[in-house]
Amino acid sequence: MKRVRKKSHSGRPSTGQVRVIGGQWRGRKLPVSDALGLRPTTDRNKETLFNWLMHQTTDARCLDVFAGSGGLGIEALSRYAACCLFFEKDKEAARQLESNLATLNANGKVLQGDALALLGEQSGPFDIVFVDPPFKFDLVKPTLALIQQNNLVCAGSVIYLEQEPDAPLPELPGHWQVTKHKQSSGLQYLLIEVLPT
């Protein structure tokens, strides 16, 4: 499905901003492409998430599956994650993310394309995986299945998931466990820990 972007008066895609809330780039505001379906995680949710991840971010190898603005992966890099791989389908959003990573001199790489296809081409494991897909496309189940099938996580890895507020909790492999779960009017978000088999 082609995304429709809002246009500014100049005819170019308009941009918003995302703010880094912690770490070495705290307070930095970065431009983001205003692509349809782009739903950056709020500062409040990011604060909760990175409180959850307080002892796991440093030196972590991260994967941001539906990157959009890249706010989650950039926040992890700001908090001294070792590296982050970003997937983003929208070309303009991917270009803007690449520009922001270059501005920060961050250790991140952007792959532009379909996230489900890209998951099958990666070698893991990753320490932290961010799964924040566009809503209403039933992407959670196939994404988690591909992460498991391609061994992109291992014991000790964590997966952060955002989904619709009315969506049921996903069915998980026996050694995956939901350790944190919060809900607001607009979404639910949870942390899944991969346990030893």
Side-chain angles (χ1 to χ4, degrees):
M1 183 183 90
K2 187 173 181 180
R3 295 180 177 184
V4 178
R5 300 186 196 95
K6 296 177 184 177
K7 299 284 184 175
S8 65
H9 294 299
S10 67
R12 299 175 66 182
S14 61
T15 57
Q17 288 185 325
V18 64
R19 186 170 69 96
V20 182
I21 65 168
Q24 60 185 319
W25 305 315
R26 182 178 181 177
R28 287 290 293 269
K29 293 180 179 179
L30 302 167
V32 296
S33 175
D34 195 7
L36 182 68
L38 200 64
R39 184 182 40 78
T41 300
T42 66
D43 285 359
R44 185 174 180 179
N45 289 4
K46 279 195 291 190
E47 185 174 4
T48 299
L49 166 61
F50 283 94
N51 283 338
W52 291 347
L53 297 176
M54 187 181 303
H55 302 295
Q56 294 166 280
T57 309
T58 301
D59 295 329
R61 186 174 182 226
C62 303
L63 172 62
D64 196 341
V65 181
F66 300 92
S69 68
L72 294 176
I74 288 174
E75 195 72 45
L77 290 169
S78 182
R79 296 164 191 252
Y80 305 101
C83 59
C84 188
L85 180 62
F86 300 83
F87 298 163
E88 176 48 41
K89 189 173 184 179
D90 184 273
K91 289 182 180 179
E92 184 62 34
R95 276 196 293 267
Q96 184 62 68
L97 177 52
E98 284 181 328
S99 175
N100 288 342
L101 291 170
T103 297
L104 296 169
N105 194 27
N107 189 14
K109 180 180 179 182
V110 181
L111 296 181
Q112 191 269 316
D114 179 78
L116 297 184
L118 291 169
L119 281 170
E121 300 171 1
Q122 307 311 311
S123 59
F126 294 91
D127 302 300
I128 302 172
V129 180
F130 302 106
V131 180
D132 181 12
F135 285 177
K136 308 303 181 187
F137 291 98
D138 295 323
L139 291 166
V140 169
K141 184 176 180 179
T143 300
L144 295 181
L146 286 166
I147 289 170
Q148 182 194 18
Q149 290 165 17
N150 292 289
N151 298 312
L152 299 183
V153 290
C154 63
S157 298
V158 291
I159 300 167
Y160 171 73
L161 173 65
E162 286 190 16
Q163 60 179 15
E164 295 89 339
D166 57 347
L169 288 177
E171 294 183 13
L172 301 175
H175 62 295
W176 291 18
Q177 179 179 333
V178 175
T179 56
K180 303 285 186 182
H181 182 210
K182 292 196 76 169
Q183 184 150 350
S184 66
S185 59
L187 75 154
Q188 56 179 314
Y189 50 110
L190 51 138
L191 199 66
I192 300 164
E193 184 176 348
V194 181
L195 304 174
T197 53

mmCIF file of all heavy atoms in Angstrom, residues 52-80:
data_model
loop_
_atom_site.group_PDB
_atom_site.id
_atom_site.type_symbol
_atom_site.label_atom_id
_atom_site.label_comp_id
_atom_site.label_asym_id
_atom_site.label_seq_id
_atom_site.Cartn_x
_atom_site.Cartn_y
_atom_site.Cartn_z
ATOM 1 N N TRP A 52 12.367 0.671 31.933
ATOM 2 C CA TRP A 52 12.360 -0.802 31.916
ATOM 3 C C TRP A 52 13.712 -1.344 31.470
ATOM 4 O O TRP A 52 14.182 -2.372 31.963
ATOM 5 C CB TRP A 52 11.284 -1.324 30.976
ATOM 6 C CG TRP A 52 9.866 -1.100 31.413
ATOM 7 C CD1 TRP A 52 9.432 -0.714 32.648
ATOM 8 C CD2 TRP A 52 8.687 -1.271 30.612
ATOM 9 N NE1 TRP A 52 8.050 -0.628 32.658
ATOM 10 C CE2 TRP A 52 7.572 -0.969 31.430
ATOM 11 C CE3 TRP A 52 8.467 -1.634 29.288
ATOM 12 C CZ2 TRP A 52 6.258 -1.026 30.960
ATOM 13 C CZ3 TRP A 52 7.165 -1.698 28.810
ATOM 14 C CH2 TRP A 52 6.074 -1.400 29.640
ATOM 15 N N LEU A 53 14.331 -0.658 30.501
ATOM 16 C CA LEU A 53 15.567 -1.151 29.876
ATOM 17 C C LEU A 53 16.826 -0.562 30.503
ATOM 18 O O LEU A 53 17.915 -0.711 29.945
ATOM 19 C CB LEU A 53 15.559 -0.808 28.379
ATOM 20 C CG LEU A 53 14.470 -1.441 27.519
ATOM 21 C CD1 LEU A 53 14.558 -0.922 26.095
ATOM 22 C CD2 LEU A 53 14.574 -2.968 27.529
ATOM 23 N N MET A 54 16.680 0.067 31.639
ATOM 24 C CA MET A 54 17.769 0.849 32.247
ATOM 25 C C MET A 54 19.093 0.088 32.314
ATOM 26 O O MET A 54 20.151 0.645 32.046
ATOM 27 C CB MET A 54 17.344 1.278 33.652
ATOM 28 C CG MET A 54 18.301 2.225 34.337
ATOM 29 S SD MET A 54 17.738 2.645 36.013
ATOM 30 C CE MET A 54 16.110 3.311 35.693
ATOM 31 N N HIS A 55 19.032 -1.196 32.645
ATOM 32 C CA HIS A 55 20.264 -1.962 32.844
ATOM 33 C C HIS A 55 20.636 -2.825 31.631
ATOM 34 O O HIS A 55 21.546 -3.653 31.721
ATOM 35 C CB HIS A 55 20.135 -2.843 34.084
ATOM 36 C CG HIS A 55 19.830 -2.061 35.332
ATOM 37 N ND1 HIS A 55 20.697 -1.151 35.871
ATOM 38 C CD2 HIS A 55 18.718 -2.035 36.120
ATOM 39 C CE1 HIS A 55 20.164 -0.598 36.948
ATOM 40 N NE2 HIS A 55 18.964 -1.119 37.123
ATOM 41 N N GLN A 56 19.920 -2.628 30.521
ATOM 42 C CA GLN A 56 20.155 -3.489 29.357
ATOM 43 C C GLN A 56 20.598 -2.746 28.104
ATOM 44 O O GLN A 56 20.950 -3.373 27.118
ATOM 45 C CB GLN A 56 18.870 -4.277 29.044
ATOM 46 C CG GLN A 56 18.505 -5.265 30.141
ATOM 47 C CD GLN A 56 17.091 -5.786 29.998
ATOM 48 O OE1 GLN A 56 16.130 -5.133 30.375
ATOM 49 N NE2 GLN A 56 16.953 -6.974 29.449
ATOM 50 N N THR A 57 20.572 -1.425 28.143
ATOM 51 C CA THR A 57 20.820 -0.659 26.919
ATOM 52 C C THR A 57 22.306 -0.533 26.589
ATOM 53 O O THR A 57 22.693 -0.657 25.426
ATOM 54 C CB THR A 57 20.192 0.745 27.037
ATOM 55 O OG1 THR A 57 18.832 0.616 27.453
ATOM 56 C CG2 THR A 57 20.219 1.449 25.690
ATOM 57 N N THR A 58 23.144 -0.303 27.584
ATOM 58 C CA THR A 58 24.574 -0.088 27.331
ATOM 59 C C THR A 58 25.181 -1.287 26.595
ATOM 60 O O THR A 58 25.017 -2.434 27.021
ATOM 61 C CB THR A 58 25.327 0.155 28.648
ATOM 62 O OG1 THR A 58 24.764 1.294 29.298
ATOM 63 C CG2 THR A 58 26.800 0.402 28.395
ATOM 64 N N ASP A 59 25.841 -0.991 25.471
ATOM 65 C CA ASP A 59 26.530 -1.991 24.631
ATOM 66 C C ASP A 59 25.576 -2.963 23.933
ATOM 67 O O ASP A 59 26.019 -3.961 23.342
ATOM 68 C CB ASP A 59 27.557 -2.791 25.440
ATOM 69 C CG ASP A 59 28.691 -1.914 25.942
ATOM 70 O OD1 ASP A 59 29.034 -0.933 25.257
ATOM 71 O OD2 ASP A 59 29.226 -2.202 27.029
ATOM 72 N N ALA A 60 24.263 -2.686 23.965
ATOM 73 C CA ALA A 60 23.301 -3.600 23.338
ATOM 74 C C ALA A 60 23.332 -3.492 21.815
ATOM 75 O O ALA A 60 23.559 -2.421 21.252
ATOM 76 C CB ALA A 60 21.894 -3.294 23.842
ATOM 77 N N ARG A 61 23.090 -4.614 21.189
ATOM 78 C CA ARG A 61 22.901 -4.660 19.732
ATOM 79 C C ARG A 61 21.391 -4.607 19.494
ATOM 80 O O ARG A 61 20.663 -5.499 19.935
ATOM 81 C CB ARG A 61 23.507 -5.948 19.178
ATOM 82 C CG ARG A 61 23.490 -6.015 17.665
ATOM 83 C CD ARG A 61 24.234 -7.258 17.165
ATOM 84 N NE ARG A 61 24.249 -7.273 15.712
ATOM 85 C CZ ARG A 61 23.972 -8.329 14.960
ATOM 86 N NH1 ARG A 61 23.650 -9.485 15.539
ATOM 87 N NH2 ARG A 61 24.011 -8.262 13.653
ATOM 88 N N CYS A 62 20.926 -3.566 18.815
ATOM 89 C CA CYS A 62 19.488 -3.301 18.715
ATOM 90 C C CYS A 62 18.974 -3.426 17.281
ATOM 91 O O CYS A 62 19.707 -3.205 16.322
ATOM 92 C CB CYS A 62 19.167 -1.901 19.230
ATOM 93 S SG CYS A 62 19.688 -1.595 20.930
ATOM 94 N N LEU A 63 17.683 -3.748 17.185
ATOM 95 C CA LEU A 63 16.982 -3.817 15.901
ATOM 96 C C LEU A 63 15.658 -3.081 16.058
ATOM 97 O O LEU A 63 14.877 -3.377 16.953
ATOM 98 C CB LEU A 63 16.724 -5.281 15.514
ATOM 99 C CG LEU A 63 15.823 -5.536 14.292
ATOM 100 C CD1 LEU A 63 16.431 -4.945 13.026
ATOM 101 C CD2 LEU A 63 15.571 -7.042 14.124
ATOM 102 N N ASP A 64 15.429 -2.085 15.196
ATOM 103 C CA ASP A 64 14.183 -1.311 15.190
ATOM 104 C C ASP A 64 13.431 -1.714 13.917
ATOM 105 O O ASP A 64 13.758 -1.272 12.820
ATOM 106 C CB ASP A 64 14.521 0.187 15.199
ATOM 107 C CG ASP A 64 13.342 1.070 15.570
ATOM 108 O OD1 ASP A 64 12.197 0.590 15.473
ATOM 109 O OD2 ASP A 64 13.559 2.242 15.939
ATOM 110 N N VAL A 65 12.421 -2.587 14.081
ATOM 111 C CA VAL A 65 11.838 -3.297 12.929
ATOM 112 C C VAL A 65 10.975 -2.390 12.048
ATOM 113 O O VAL A 65 11.069 -2.431 10.829
ATOM 114 C CB VAL A 65 11.030 -4.526 13.396
ATOM 115 C CG1 VAL A 65 10.452 -5.267 12.196
ATOM 116 C CG2 VAL A 65 11.906 -5.463 14.215
ATOM 117 N N PHE A 66 10.114 -1.597 12.624
ATOM 118 C CA PHE A 66 9.281 -0.655 11.863
ATOM 119 C C PHE A 66 9.699 0.740 12.315
ATOM 120 O O PHE A 66 9.007 1.392 13.084
ATOM 121 C CB PHE A 66 7.798 -0.901 12.137
ATOM 122 C CG PHE A 66 7.326 -2.285 11.771
ATOM 123 C CD1 PHE A 66 7.339 -3.311 12.705
ATOM 124 C CD2 PHE A 66 6.884 -2.574 10.481
ATOM 125 C CE1 PHE A 66 6.905 -4.589 12.384
ATOM 126 C CE2 PHE A 66 6.455 -3.853 10.139
ATOM 127 C CZ PHE A 66 6.469 -4.863 11.090
ATOM 128 N N ALA A 67 10.852 1.202 11.822
ATOM 129 C CA ALA A 67 11.547 2.314 12.465
ATOM 130 C C ALA A 67 10.785 3.638 12.412
ATOM 131 O O ALA A 67 10.765 4.376 13.387
ATOM 132 C CB ALA A 67 12.931 2.479 11.845
ATOM 133 N N GLY A 68 10.173 3.970 11.274
ATOM 134 C CA GLY A 68 9.504 5.262 11.163
ATOM 135 C C GLY A 68 10.485 6.388 11.408
ATOM 136 O O GLY A 68 11.467 6.556 10.682
ATOM 137 N N SER A 69 10.273 7.149 12.473
ATOM 138 C CA SER A 69 11.173 8.248 12.821
ATOM 139 C C SER A 69 12.513 7.746 13.349
ATOM 140 O O SER A 69 13.479 8.510 13.424
ATOM 141 C CB SER A 69 10.526 9.137 13.885
ATOM 142 O OG SER A 69 10.424 8.442 15.112
ATOM 143 N N GLY A 70 12.555 6.478 13.752
ATOM 144 C CA GLY A 70 13.766 5.929 14.362
ATOM 145 C C GLY A 70 13.925 6.326 15.812
ATOM 146 O O GLY A 70 14.974 6.110 16.410
ATOM 147 N N GLY A 71 12.850 6.891 16.399
ATOM 148 C CA GLY A 71 12.938 7.418 17.756
ATOM 149 C C GLY A 71 13.381 6.410 18.795
ATOM 150 O O GLY A 71 14.135 6.749 19.710
ATOM 151 N N LEU A 72 12.935 5.158 18.669
ATOM 152 C CA LEU A 72 13.292 4.147 19.669
ATOM 153 C C LEU A 72 14.766 3.740 19.544
ATOM 154 O O LEU A 72 15.491 3.687 20.531
ATOM 155 C CB LEU A 72 12.376 2.935 19.543
ATOM 156 C CG LEU A 72 10.902 3.188 19.884
ATOM 157 C CD1 LEU A 72 10.070 1.942 19.622
ATOM 158 C CD2 LEU A 72 10.745 3.646 21.326
ATOM 159 N N GLY A 73 15.177 3.441 18.328
ATOM 160 C CA GLY A 73 16.571 3.056 18.123
ATOM 161 C C GLY A 73 17.544 4.173 18.445
ATOM 162 O O GLY A 73 18.603 3.940 19.040
ATOM 163 N N ILE A 74 17.189 5.396 18.071
ATOM 164 C CA ILE A 74 18.062 6.544 18.372
ATOM 165 C C ILE A 74 18.140 6.765 19.873
ATOM 166 O O ILE A 74 19.213 7.063 20.412
ATOM 167 C CB ILE A 74 17.561 7.804 17.637
ATOM 168 C CG1 ILE A 74 17.856 7.683 16.132
ATOM 169 C CG2 ILE A 74 18.209 9.064 18.213
ATOM 170 C CD1 ILE A 74 17.272 8.793 15.288
ATOM 171 N N GLU A 75 17.020 6.594 20.562
ATOM 172 C CA GLU A 75 17.027 6.729 22.020
ATOM 173 C C GLU A 75 17.965 5.693 22.645
ATOM 174 O O GLU A 75 18.713 5.996 23.581
ATOM 175 C CB GLU A 75 15.611 6.553 22.563
ATOM 176 C CG GLU A 75 15.427 7.011 23.979
ATOM 177 C CD GLU A 75 15.457 8.522 24.154
ATOM 178 O OE1 GLU A 75 14.824 9.240 23.360
ATOM 179 O OE2 GLU A 75 16.128 8.979 25.099
ATOM 180 N N ALA A 76 17.941 4.462 22.114
ATOM 181 C CA ALA A 76 18.849 3.428 22.616
ATOM 182 C C ALA A 76 20.306 3.802 22.351
ATOM 183 O O ALA A 76 21.169 3.640 23.218
ATOM 184 C CB ALA A 76 18.512 2.080 21.987
ATOM 185 N N LEU A 77 20.591 4.316 21.160
ATOM 186 C CA LEU A 77 21.957 4.720 20.827
ATOM 187 C C LEU A 77 22.415 5.882 21.708
ATOM 188 O O LEU A 77 23.578 5.940 22.107
ATOM 189 C CB LEU A 77 22.047 5.108 19.348
ATOM 190 C CG LEU A 77 21.908 3.959 18.351
ATOM 191 C CD1 LEU A 77 21.750 4.500 16.936
ATOM 192 C CD2 LEU A 77 23.111 3.015 18.425
ATOM 193 N N SER A 78 21.495 6.793 22.011
ATOM 194 C CA SER A 78 21.829 7.900 22.899
ATOM 195 C C SER A 78 22.229 7.389 24.284
ATOM 196 O O SER A 78 23.046 8.004 24.968
ATOM 197 C CB SER A 78 20.636 8.861 23.020
ATOM 198 O OG SER A 78 20.940 9.966 23.849
ATOM 199 N N ARG A 79 21.652 6.248 24.659
ATOM 200 C CA ARG A 79 21.943 5.648 25.967
ATOM 201 C C ARG A 79 23.024 4.573 25.848
ATOM 202 O O ARG A 79 23.047 3.614 26.606
ATOM 203 C CB ARG A 79 20.652 5.095 26.555
ATOM 204 C CG ARG A 79 19.636 6.209 26.840
ATOM 205 C CD ARG A 79 18.240 5.650 27.052
ATOM 206 N NE ARG A 79 17.233 6.690 27.079
ATOM 207 C CZ ARG A 79 16.564 7.108 28.167
ATOM 208 N NH1 ARG A 79 16.811 6.547 29.329
ATOM 209 N NH2 ARG A 79 15.662 8.059 28.082
ATOM 210 N N TYR A 80 23.873 4.718 24.835
ATOM 211 C CA TYR A 80 25.114 3.945 24.687
ATOM 212 C C TYR A 80 24.908 2.495 24.265
ATOM 213 O O TYR A 80 25.718 1.621 24.588
ATOM 214 C CB TYR A 80 25.971 4.036 25.959
ATOM 215 C CG TYR A 80 26.257 5.477 26.322
ATOM 216 C CD1 TYR A 80 25.527 6.109 27.322
ATOM 217 C CD2 TYR A 80 27.209 6.211 25.621
ATOM 218 C CE1 TYR A 80 25.749 7.448 27.636
ATOM 219 C CE2 TYR A 80 27.442 7.554 25.922
ATOM 220 C CZ TYR A 80 26.714 8.156 26.930
ATOM 221 O OH TYR A 80 26.933 9.477 27.234
#
